[in-house]
């Protein structure tokens, strides 16, 4: 699939099939996240693969969105290594981690899998549930899996603001 088609047809999947994600496909998705560009190439993104029933249940308890996927990628950044902009100290870790998420979402779609970006979760509760994430700043939960039968984009999926509203030529 060409990139333009991929970018236009990828949607937030909210209905997952129970079948597992193959390790080879998961590895490609994680590689896409690892390859995401980051400020000064500091690579602060940290990706936690939650796939055991216990881990999925703990993550679900921290989230306001419940989709029952076979895998959840909890994405965070390490503020100890993220780049801070000179002058105002703006931390680019969240931006870098979000770029990694975007690349993983597109790679998943290219492999026939679906994702949805969940920002509605309790970071402190997630950090408490997963001590392995200590020292990181969680930014998103990314449910991952195959679309269930009947899954489809939301009715708002193709609604886009006019280009003139989003882009200004100066």
């Amino acid at each position: 699939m060409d990139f333009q088609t991929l970018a236009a047809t990828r949607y937030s999947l909210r209905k997952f099939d129970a079948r597992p994600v193959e390790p080879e496909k998961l590895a490609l998705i994680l590689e896409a996240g690892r390859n995401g560009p980051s400020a000064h190439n500091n690579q602060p993104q940290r990706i936690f693969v939650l796939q055991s029933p216990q881990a999925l249940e703990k993550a679900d308890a921290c989230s306001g969105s419940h989709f029952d996927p076979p895998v959840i990628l909890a994405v965070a950044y390490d503020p100890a290594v993220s780049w801070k902009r000179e002058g105002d100290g703006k931390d680019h870790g969240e931006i870098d981690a979000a770029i990694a998420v975007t690349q993983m979402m597109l790679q998943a779609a290219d492999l026939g899998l679906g994702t949805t970006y969940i920002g509605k979760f309790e970071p402190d509760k997630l950090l408490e549930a997963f001590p392995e994430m200590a020292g990181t700043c969680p930014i998103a939960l990314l449910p991952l899996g195959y679309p269930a039968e009947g899954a489809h984009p939301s009715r708002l999926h193709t609604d886009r603001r006019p280009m003139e509203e989003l882009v200004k030529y100066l």
Side-chain angles (χ1 to χ4, degrees), residues 56-67 72 118-123 125-126 141 143:
L56 293 169
E57 185 177 318
K58 288 194 301 185
D60 196 56
C62 301
S63 174
S65 302
H66 311 284
F67 302 117
I72 296 175
I118 295 177
K120 186 179 179 182
F121 68 95
E122 297 178 55
K125 197 172 175 182
L126 190 69
L141 297 175

Side-chain angles (χ1 to χ4, degrees), residues 72-76 97-98 101 117-121 126 137-142:
I72 296 175
L73 302 177
V75 183
V101 170
Y117 187 110
I118 295 177
K120 186 179 179 182
F121 68 95
L126 190 69
C137 298
I139 67 145
L141 297 175
L142 191 64

Side-chain angles (χ1 to χ4, degrees), residues 125-139:
K125 197 172 175 182
L126 190 69
L127 291 168
E128 184 179 315
F130 296 98
E132 303 85 353
M133 294 183 191
T136 69
C137 298
I139 67 145

Side-chain angles (χ1 to χ4, degrees), residues 9 43 68 102 122 132 155:
T9 59
Q43 302 171 43
D68 299 316
T102 301
E122 297 178 55
E132 303 85 353
R155 62 180 176 76

Side-chain angles (χ1 to χ4, degrees), residues 35-54:
N35 285 329
S38 64
H40 287 256
N41 200 29
N42 286 7
Q43 302 171 43
Q45 67 270 31
R46 301 294 180 262
I47 305 162
F48 301 90
V49 180
L50 312 176
Q51 55 187 358
S52 72
Q54 299 82 5

Side-chain angles (χ1 to χ4, degrees), residues 58-129:
K58 288 194 301 185
D60 196 56
C62 301
S63 174
S65 302
H66 311 284
F67 302 117
D68 299 316
V71 177
I72 296 175
L73 302 177
V75 183
Y77 71 92
D78 183 345
V81 300
S82 59
W83 181 74
K84 283 71 170 175
R85 183 169 53 204
E86 296 85 8
D88 66 357
K90 165 86 172 132
D91 189 330
H92 281 246
E94 186 168 356
I95 297 164
D96 295 339
I99 292 169
V101 170
T102 301
Q103 293 209 169
M104 290 189 294
M105 290 189 307
L106 291 170
Q107 179 64 77
D110 191 52
L111 294 170
L113 296 158
T115 58
T116 190
Y117 187 110
I118 295 177
K120 186 179 179 182
F121 68 95
E122 297 178 55
D124 292 339
K125 197 172 175 182
L126 190 69
L127 291 168
E128 184 179 315

Side-chain angles (χ1 to χ4, degrees), residues 10-16 67 113-116 145-148 151:
R10 185 240 154 242
Y11 68 94
S12 293
L13 178 64
R14 293 178 174 90
K15 188 176 177 186
F16 291 87
F67 302 117
L113 296 158
T115 58
T116 190
Y146 285 96

